[in-house]
Amino acid sequence: MKSKSLQDLGAIRQQLSDAAQAAAAAELARREAERRAEAERHLFVRAVGAVQPLPVKERVHLPPQRSAPWPLQQDLDDQAALVESMSDEFDVSTLLDVDDQLSFRRPGIGTDVTRKLRKGEWSMQGQLDLHGLRSDEARTALGQFIRDAKRMGWRCVRVVHGKGLGSPGKEPVLKSKVQRWLVQKNEVLAFVQAKPSDGGAGALVVLLAPGNI
């Protein structure tokens, strides 16, 4: 029994010795890690020298600006209104002046207005070129142009519809349609064929009403 007790005591001592060595090794490793961390913290200072932190300035927080909502439904309604207000079935022949250029003037507008338009006495403030557009594209573009011109306060504009030289049969397809569409717009007071220097038979000079209609 005494021999067994001595063996147990020796085992306990060995365990204590192993634990002490492990604790010493762990303490040594911890100190080494702290030394390396301290060396890394001072690495920048040793490399560039002493530094001072920049003074903290007051900052104003600006919330991000939100973009204005896009009136998609209004645009769709406007486009629908443009199509409805300019029909291809409208008979314009009875409203055009019977002359070699088939000019137009709304009731109450004197012939002196169309005469001045032909002579170029009104300064043209804008132009729309419909070359290369399909009929539906040209109608939408013309309606939008008239609305934009009114918004800008323009009174006299030019609409280029082309002479039809590139169309089948060399017929000016858009010419009669543009006349028909313009007559249906309340903003249009009169129009005449442009002077040769301004497009001749391929363009119209259009007089718009002042203010908002």
Side-chain angles (χ1 to χ4, degrees):
M1 295 293 292
K2 184 177 181 180
S3 175
K4 187 175 181 179
S5 297
L6 291 174
Q7 289 178 355
D8 292 343
L9 183 57
I12 293 174
R13 287 177 177 175
Q14 183 62 42
Q15 291 177 358
L16 292 174
S17 177
D18 292 343
Q21 291 179 5
E27 178 65 17
L28 182 62
R30 184 184 65 80
R31 291 179 179 179
E32 180 63 19
E34 288 182 352
R35 185 189 65 81
R36 291 181 179 178
E38 186 69 16
E40 290 177 358
R41 281 196 294 268
H42 294 283
L43 178 61
F44 178 77
V45 175
R46 289 199 302 267
V48 301
V51 295
Q52 293 182 351
L54 294 175
V56 178
K57 296 182 178 180
E58 295 183 359
R59 297 181 180 181
V60 177
H61 176 68
L62 297 178
Q65 294 183 352
R66 295 183 178 181
S67 57
W70 185 261
L72 178 59
Q73 187 58 49
Q74 180 179 346
D75 286 351
L76 295 176
D77 294 342
D78 290 343
Q79 292 178 9
L82 288 175
V83 173
E84 294 173 359
S85 65
M86 295 189 297
S87 171
D88 287 337
E89 305 301 324
F90 188 83
D91 184 10
V92 70
S93 60
T94 58
L95 299 177
L96 297 178
D97 286 348
V98 182
D99 54 29
D100 57 344
Q101 297 177 348
L102 295 180
S103 59
F104 165 77
R105 53 189 175 90
R106 201 164 291 281
I109 302 300
T111 56
D112 60 317
V113 173
T114 51
R115 183 175 66 253
K116 290 179 179 179
L117 282 177
R118 287 196 186 94
K119 295 175 62 177
E121 294 188 15
W122 289 85
S123 176
M124 284 183 287
Q125 297 166 290
Q127 172 179 301
L128 173 66
D129 192 342
L130 299 175
H131 276 110
L133 298 183
R134 299 193 304 268
S135 177
D136 56 340
E137 294 174 337
R139 176 170 52 189
T140 300
L142 179 61
Q144 187 62 53
F145 176 70
I146 296 298
R147 284 164 19 105
D148 290 343
K150 286 293 295 178
R151 193 174 298 119
M152 297 287 291
W154 294 347
R155 294 297 313 282
C156 186
V157 297
R158 177 171 55 189
V159 177
V160 181
H161 49 66
K163 299 180 180 179
L165 299 180
S167 305
K170 306 298 182 181
E171 292 293 329
V173 178
L174 286 180
K175 181 175 183 177
S176 60
K177 290 188 175 183
V178 168
Q179 292 175 337
R180 184 178 296 115
W181 297 334
L182 287 175
V183 167
Q184 297 176 70
K185 300 299 294 181
N186 291 331
E187 299 92 333
V188 176
L189 295 182
F191 62 74
V192 300
Q193 180 175 298
K195 296 187 300 182
S197 59
D198 292 328
L204 294 173
V205 178
V206 183
L207 179 66
L208 302 177
N212 296 321
I213 298 294

